[in-house]
């Protein structure tokens, strides 16, 4: 990935991002550029800072230093006189509308049907027209193969089906960027494929995605770029097939030897 000064050619830009929890420094200067339509896969062992970095992109976690831009807009802060001032909650919420996020756990509302789960955010957050939202939700459920389950409740679905609903729910807000935090790690192995198929379909449609994953095959097949993180730093990055097939760093080689 080539860093460019043309912000219009960047969907995500992270400059020297640091994050600590008390005395524990979790991110130690992360730099990353993701271009529009790019699928960036993030690999690394547990505790390497992958999920924390993802949560910093939509300001679910506040950074201690550095800057993160999404589509040219500084996330979570306003810069004045070289200093960062945190945005109000309402302003942060406005920025998050453009950033969809899918977590390890599905976080669906158990008392709402599948259709109601997908419609909730556009109705409540954006106050969009109910008829238009219902139409979009129906189209999204068809896209993820769950039209027949629209009146079911989450508890009546498999884990893979719940995760596909969670993806449809995130897409209902029409985001310009999708973040996936190990979306298949909580699933039984036979259910992983149905979720990855939906993500592959999104990639083919040109959705910009950052995917924290342990699915090496997905990263190799779908990813445009790959970063390997360990100890809060980016150890290696490049085209997925190159990094996976011919890693240059010893730490990357050691990690891949255990997961391939």
């Amino acid at each position: 990935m080539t860093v460019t000064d043309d912000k219009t050619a960047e969907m995500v830009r992270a400059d020297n991002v640091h994050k600590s929890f008390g005395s524990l420094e979790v991110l130690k200067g992360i730099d990353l550029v993701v271009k529009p339509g790019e699928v960036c896969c993030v690999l690394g062992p547990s505790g390497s800072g992958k999920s924390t970095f993802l949560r910093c992109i939509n300001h679910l976690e506040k950074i201690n230093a550095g800057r993160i831009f999404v589509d040219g807009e500084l996330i979570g802060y306003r810069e004045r006189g070289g200093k960062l001032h945190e945005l109000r909650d309402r302003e942060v919420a406005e920025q998050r509308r453009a950033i969809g996020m899918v977590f390890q756990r599905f976080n669906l509302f158990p008392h709402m049907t599948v259709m109601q789960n997908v419609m909730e955010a556009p109705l409540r957050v954006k106050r969009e027209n109910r008829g238009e939202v219902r139409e979009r939700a129906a189209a999204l459920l068809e896209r993820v193969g769950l039209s027949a389950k629209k009146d079911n409740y989450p508890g009546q679905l498999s884990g893979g089906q719940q995760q596909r609903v969670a993806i449809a729910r995130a897409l209902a807000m029409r985001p310009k960027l999708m973040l996936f935090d190990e979306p298949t790690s909580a699933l039984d192995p036979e259910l992983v494929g149905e979720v990855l198929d939906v993500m592959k379909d999104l990639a083919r449609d040109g959705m910009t995605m950052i995917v924290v994953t342990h699915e090496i095959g997905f990263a190799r097949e779908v990813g445009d770029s790959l970063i390997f993180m360990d100890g809060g730093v980016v150890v290696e990055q490049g085209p997925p097939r190159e990094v996976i097939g011919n890693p240059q760093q010893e730490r990357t080689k050691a990690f891949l030897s255990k997961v391939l």
Side-chain angles (χ1 to χ4, degrees):
M1 291 177 296
T2 303
V3 176
T4 170
D5 290 330
D6 181 5
K7 287 285 193 293
T8 61
E10 301 171 357
M11 182 58 72
V12 179
R13 182 187 186 103
D15 293 331
N16 196 28
V17 172
H18 289 255
K19 171 65 183 176
S20 296
F21 295 102
S23 61
L24 178 63
E25 191 176 15
V26 178
L27 301 178
K28 303 173 183 176
I30 302 294
D31 293 307
L32 177 70
V33 171
V34 179
K35 295 183 177 179
E38 186 175 326
V39 178
C40 174
C41 294
V42 185
L43 301 182
S46 296
S48 59
K50 310 183 302 294
S51 294
T52 297
F53 176 59
L54 209 64
R55 292 168 65 86
C56 288
I57 293 174
N58 63 1
H59 206 61
L60 286 174
E61 296 289 354
K62 302 174 184 179
I63 62 177
N64 298 110
R67 285 158 179 71
I68 296 174
F69 299 87
V70 172
D71 202 17
E73 183 177 7
L74 182 61
I75 295 297
Y77 300 92
R78 181 179 292 106
E79 187 166 1
R80 282 199 301 262
K83 291 187 176 181
L84 295 182
H85 303 269
E86 191 169 6
L87 297 178
R88 299 186 188 93
D89 289 347
R90 179 176 53 78
E91 295 171 302
V92 173
E94 182 72 28
Q95 290 184 328
R96 285 198 190 118
R97 292 183 187 187
I99 306 171
M101 186 155 186
V102 178
F103 299 88
Q104 295 179 37
R105 295 288 171 182
F106 326 120
N107 297 334
L108 299 176
F109 297 116
H111 62 291
M112 292 184 178
T113 66
V114 165
M115 177 64 85
Q116 288 169 335
N117 264 281
V118 177
M119 292 176 63
E120 177 71 1
L123 289 176
R124 188 177 295 270
V125 178
K126 285 190 169 181
R127 305 204 178 282
E128 294 186 43
N129 175 273
R130 180 173 288 274
E132 293 175 4
V133 171
R134 179 175 292 278
E135 194 173 307
R136 189 191 319 149
L140 286 168
L141 288 174
E142 182 175 351
R143 179 174 189 173
V144 300
L146 290 172
S147 293
K149 301 290 186 181
K150 69 180 189 332
D151 296 322
N152 287 56
Y153 290 90
Q156 298 171 307
L157 306 180
S158 70
Q161 289 170 332
Q162 289 188 60
Q163 192 63 296
R164 283 187 280 154
V165 174
I167 294 172
R169 180 181 61 180
L171 291 173
M173 290 290 282
R174 294 188 279 206
K176 61 180 73 172
L177 168 69
M178 285 285 286
L179 308 176
F180 292 87
D181 187 7
E182 298 191 26
T184 60
S185 65
L187 301 179
D188 292 332
E190 66 268 23
L191 302 178
V192 168
E194 64 190 53
V195 174
L196 294 181
D197 284 345
V198 171
M199 294 170 64
K200 290 174 186 177
D201 183 55
L202 283 179
R204 280 192 292 268
D205 273 4
M207 173 63 75
T208 310
M209 299 157 59
I210 302 179
V211 185
V212 171
T213 184
H214 290 297
E215 301 294 337
I216 304 296
F218 174 86
R220 185 192 287 118
E221 178 186 349
V222 182
D224 298 299
S225 60
L226 182 148
I227 67 172
F228 173 69
M229 287 180 64
D230 190 33
V233 301
V234 175
V235 176
E236 189 163 349
Q237 61 182 304
R241 290 177 186 272
E242 288 183 18
V243 175
I244 294 168
N246 186 29
Q248 300 300 302
Q249 303 299 320
E250 291 302 321
R251 183 65 190 92
T252 317
K253 293 177 184 176
F255 174 80
L256 290 171
S257 71
K258 293 174 183 172
V259 298
L260 288 175

